[in-house]
Amino acid sequence: MTTEGVKTTTPAERAKDAPRTARRAIVGRLSWGLADQAASSMTNFAVGIYVARSLGLTAFGVFSLAWVTYGVVLNVARGLATDPLVVRFSGVPDASWRAAAARSSGAALGVGAALGAVCLLVGLGLGGRVGPAFACLGVVLPALLLQDAWRFAFFAAGTGRKAFVNDLVWGVALVPAMVVAARVGSVAAFVFAWGASATVAAVYGCFQSGIRPRMTGAREWLREHRDLGYRYLVENVSLSGASQLRAYGLGAIVGVSAVGAVRGAELLLGPFLALLMGLSLVTVAEAARVLRRAPHRLATFCLLLGGVQAVAALLWGAALLLVPDRAGELVLGGVWHSASELIVPATLGVAGAGLGTGAAAGLRALGAARHSLRSQLFASACYVIGGLGGAAVAGTVGSAWGVAAATVSGSAVWWLQLRSALHEHHHNPIPEARTS
């Protein structure tokens, strides 16, 4: 037998190549996270633009109230169901992941059903322009939360490509749904169309994973992971709840049109809000892997992650300042003039949030729920105080500057808490990954 032409490697060469291979794997998984969030955010961006142009500033403000309410419910489901899955079942054997994903998705579906019923009842009671939008939101919430649960499950398994495909399916289904909603011409129709298309993606996620959500396992999941779940619940709800309180308060102090202006500014910053959300899908899982393989590199990983996001957001905000009014009106219609006044403070807020997400990923990977909860409660309190205090003093623009200052301050606290958590972990390391 001849061995000519066969290349062999020595153990030393394989050891030398291992770090390079690991880096390529990390970059690949991060790339799928960004690609997936790009697909998801393009969907959200298209919905926002379509509603803004179709219904005007006031109706867009009503749609935005339903949107931020969905954000609160989404964060409840993430805190109880999917965040513990990512922290404890990233990179585990397939059988363990499948069992955990079935119970986690069942828990998300249960949260959607329970809180969806509440939204439906509230909407029916409110009536007027806001009530129908909330009633429709209640109907579609279970599907919206299940679709999001599949995304987190796929990234925990290291198969971000499946999450990307799932969001593409949602985007494709959204096109005919939006056309029908435009013919109806109401906020409720757009909310229902958005959720109905998510239902298609949620069902497709069951086929992709080969897993059926186990709602009967939801109680067991909540009990087993209550040490993380309930703290993450409070943490996540304080984040989205602060946004909701700011939106409701801004509407009461300045008017519903101010809520539409703020949402318009968020749409302008969509690419980097997408970057924040896209990386959040994978960074906790990646930070958990770094922690297990090279704990001394976790701080550097988090700093690089946060710094790149902050710089990128500042560059995008600078580019937005150069956009001519005619181009802005083409995108946002009548919302543009109000939204363009908020570009500078909104950009600073996103940059501050980007820097803080690096520390947040590290705290989640460490399973330091006490530290991350403390950071988030402080940041959320600052967000509400800054947003509403600024609104009372200087209207919509004052609210935007108050939020920017609050976000930067919150980011500093996140990093201080990460430093404390790393010190504690160094003296008392606690592995968070599970195999059962």
Side-chain angles (χ1 to χ4, degrees):
M1 175 182 285
T2 178
T3 58
E4 281 188 52
V6 177
K7 184 179 179 180
T8 61
T9 57
T10 66
E13 290 173 329
R14 287 194 294 270
K16 185 178 180 180
D17 289 339
R20 189 180 308 165
T21 302
R23 283 194 296 269
R24 282 199 299 266
I26 291 174
V27 170
R29 289 189 292 265
L30 289 175
S31 298
W32 279 119
L34 293 176
D36 170 70
Q37 190 57 47
S40 176
S41 294
M42 284 302 295
T43 299
N44 294 339
F45 182 78
V47 171
I49 294 298
Y50 205 69
V51 175
R53 291 184 61 83
S54 300
L55 301 180
L57 186 60
T58 301
F60 186 57
V62 175
F63 181 83
S64 298
L65 290 177
W67 188 282
V68 297
T69 302
Y70 156 71
V72 174
V73 178
L74 180 66
N75 279 298
V76 170
R78 286 180 175 178
L80 293 175
T82 53
D83 284 342
L85 175 74
V86 172
V87 170
R88 287 178 166 161
F89 293 91
S90 292
V92 301
D94 184 67
S96 299
W97 170 80
R98 293 179 68 83
R103 291 182 294 151
S104 173
S105 58
L109 192 57
V111 170
L115 296 184
V118 173
C119 284
L120 177 60
L121 292 174
V122 169
L124 293 175
L126 283 175
R129 302 185 68 176
V130 176
F134 274 74
C136 286
L137 177 63
V139 172
V140 298
L141 266 177
L144 286 165
L145 299 191
L146 179 59
Q147 192 274 339
D148 187 72
W150 290 133
R151 297 171 71 204
F152 276 77
F154 291 142
F155 281 112
T159 55
R161 176 181 57 83
K162 291 184 178 181
F164 172 71
V165 172
N166 192 277
D167 272 319
L168 284 183
V169 169
W170 186 3
V172 171
L174 187 65
V175 175
M178 286 289 105
V179 172
V180 174
R183 291 182 178 178
V184 176
S186 68
V187 176
F190 280 104
V191 172
F192 187 78
W194 168 54
S197 56
T199 303
V200 176
V203 173
Y204 181 62
C206 298
F207 289 98
Q208 282 181 294
S209 62
I211 297 171
R212 185 169 59 185
R214 282 185 53 206
M215 290 186 66
T216 55
R219 181 175 297 179
E220 179 188 0
W221 176 266
L222 297 177
R223 184 176 62 254
E224 287 183 0
H225 303 284
R226 61 181 179 272
D227 58 323
L228 293 183
Y230 292 131
R231 281 181 172 174
Y232 288 159
L233 168 65
V234 176
E235 181 181 328
N236 290 355
V237 170
S238 70
L239 170 64
S240 54
S243 177
Q244 190 173 26
L245 285 175
R246 185 233 183 161
Y248 290 163
L250 187 61
I253 295 170
V254 184
V256 176
S257 60
V259 181
V262 169
R263 177 61 183 155
E266 291 174 351
L267 286 174
L268 293 175
L269 286 158
F272 286 96
L273 292 173
L275 180 67
L276 288 178
M277 292 183 288
L279 287 177
S280 70
L281 289 170
V282 290
T283 50
V284 175
E286 291 306 322
R289 291 184 176 97
V290 171
L291 179 64
R292 289 197 294 274
R293 296 171 183 171
H296 61 284
R297 295 180 180 173
L298 180 61
T300 302
F301 174 82
C302 295
L303 183 60
L304 181 63
L305 173 66
V308 168
Q309 290 180 86
V311 171
L314 292 173
L315 292 175
W316 180 258
L320 285 176
L321 294 174
L322 303 177
V323 174
D325 287 340
R326 183 174 298 178
E329 291 171 359
L330 184 64
V331 175
L332 288 180
V335 178
W336 163 255
H337 289 289
S338 299
S340 62
E341 297 177 352
L342 311 180
I343 289 175
V344 173
T347 297
L348 293 175
V350 172
L355 186 61
T357 56
L363 287 173
R364 287 288 176 94
L366 288 164
R370 178 171 56 86
H371 287 282
S372 59
L373 176 60
R374 187 178 299 163
S375 302
Q376 189 58 66
L377 289 176
F378 176 85
S380 297
C382 288
Y383 184 94
V384 174
I385 293 170
L388 298 185
V393 173
T396 309
V397 175
S399 178
W401 277 108
V403 165
T407 306
V408 173
S409 300
S411 178
V413 172
W414 277 106
W415 280 100
L416 289 173
Q417 291 297 318
L418 177 61
R419 185 176 68 173
S420 297
L422 286 170
H423 180 76
E424 291 175 7
H425 181 81
H426 177 72
H427 289 87
N428 184 30
I430 303 174
E432 276 297 330
R434 294 188 178 183
T435 58
S436 62

